[in-house]
Amino acid sequence: MLGTFVRARREGMAPQGPSRRRRTPGLRREELAQSAGIGTTWIAWIEQGRDVRPAAETLSRLARALCLSAGERDYLFALAGRGDPERAPAGPGSDAPAALAVAARALEWPAYVLDPAWSVCAPNAAARALFVGLFDPSPSPFDILGPNLLRYVFTHPAARTLLPDWAVRAQRVLAEFRRDYGRAMGDPRVAATVDWLLAHSDAFRESWHGQEVQAHDGGPRAFLHPERGLLHFTQHTLTGAERDDFRLVFLEPVEQPLQ
């Protein structure tokens, strides 16, 4: 997957200098290699999936040459099996950090905590009322994911009604999840989330191979609730100091959609 990601990003970059027609999209391998200060052969071997194990310093130069965002950089290092010296790893654990759980319960607005697999922890009453169907009991006693936001968006029929801009929201959610996936690929819950969705959602399967990565952004969110009608919120996301792989998400109501 490292080679697929690097190639996708290289082909998505605009060549520098005078524009001209090319048979292949994006930068040539030679151009990327020159920008990163590494050999063209290394670029070829990485994209071909050879077991070359580039060093962290090499990955850092490659990340800069590819103009990767913070989320994409995290994903690159995770795919390569290297630790980014600029990021400290989080410790193990599955329960929501106490501070985030307490904050979610204290808010009157819809609020919940997401774990690395995007299972929903510590939802307050307002979140349970808003996300119709998300907290329905699982039909399988062996379900290790529980209420899972990514699975809900892509496979629950209620989500397509609740989210009036479902296609856009689904792509955003997946791009944000991919950043977390890059950080926690060894977590069995994260792997189980991806495997389940690849098996049960055509939309997820088609989008998963697009390699899009996005940081967690707030902003306007709309919901078409079956009982309360069209609702508008501003979404905010906070990361806990104890565990930066968990995050508190809360929705601030607004009277009118933001312009």
Side-chain angles (χ1 to χ4, degrees):
M1 291 184 65
L2 174 63
T4 301
F5 179 70
V6 171
R7 180 174 180 177
R9 285 294 166 266
R10 174 176 63 80
E11 293 180 348
M13 296 185 68
Q16 297 180 353
S19 70
R20 54 191 183 275
R21 296 174 63 90
R22 289 187 172 185
R23 293 183 179 180
T24 57
L27 295 181
R28 295 190 178 94
R29 286 174 177 167
E30 295 81 359
E31 294 169 328
L32 176 59
Q34 182 178 7
S35 179
I38 58 181
T40 303
T41 301
W42 269 94
I43 301 293
W45 285 352
I46 290 171
E47 292 187 357
Q48 291 166 5
R50 299 195 186 188
D51 187 18
V52 293
R53 297 285 294 168
E57 182 181 353
T58 300
L59 291 172
S60 292
R61 294 201 300 267
L62 186 58
R64 288 192 294 269
L66 289 170
C67 300
L68 298 186
S69 67
E72 291 169 338
R73 179 185 174 94
D74 289 341
Y75 188 58
L76 176 74
F77 273 83
L79 290 177
R82 296 290 191 186
D84 187 341
E86 296 182 9
R87 182 181 184 275
S94 59
D95 295 331
L100 298 185
V102 169
R105 291 195 298 267
L107 286 167
E108 296 182 0
W109 305 334
Y112 53 91
V113 178
L114 289 180
D115 75 3
W118 280 45
S119 292
V120 180
C121 314
N124 65 8
R128 290 180 175 274
L130 177 62
F131 288 93
V132 179
L134 173 58
F135 302 100
D136 292 346
S138 172
S140 171
F142 303 104
D143 185 359
I144 67 172
L145 298 177
N148 183 275
L149 187 62
L150 194 69
R151 187 166 62 177
Y152 172 75
V153 168
F154 276 93
T155 66
H156 201 296
R160 293 187 178 242
T161 300
L162 183 67
L163 307 177
D165 52 348
W166 178 86
V168 174
R169 294 276 286 279
Q171 292 302 312
R172 177 197 294 268
V173 164
L174 178 55
E176 292 179 352
F177 171 77
R178 185 179 285 280
R179 177 187 180 184
D180 293 345
Y181 174 79
R183 293 179 171 183
M185 294 174 62
D187 190 320
R189 297 164 302 166
V190 176
T193 300
V194 174
D195 290 345
W196 192 94
L197 283 162
L198 287 173
H200 292 84
S201 171
D202 292 338
F204 179 89
R205 187 164 52 251
E206 292 172 3
S207 300
W208 180 246
H209 302 294
Q211 301 290 330
E212 182 179 356
V213 181
Q214 183 171 323
H216 295 277
D217 294 326
R221 301 287 188 269
F223 298 85
L224 185 58
H225 195 273
E227 297 177 0
R228 299 165 59 191
L230 187 61
L231 305 172
H232 294 282
F233 298 89
T234 299
Q235 179 176 302
H236 305 280
T237 303
L238 299 176
T239 301
E242 306 166 52
R243 290 285 305 271
D244 67 355
D245 53 350
F246 284 77
R247 55 189 47 83
L248 170 67
V249 181
F250 59 98
L251 298 161
E252 177 186 6
V254 295
E255 293 298 325
Q256 298 292 332
L258 299 178
Q259 300 298 321

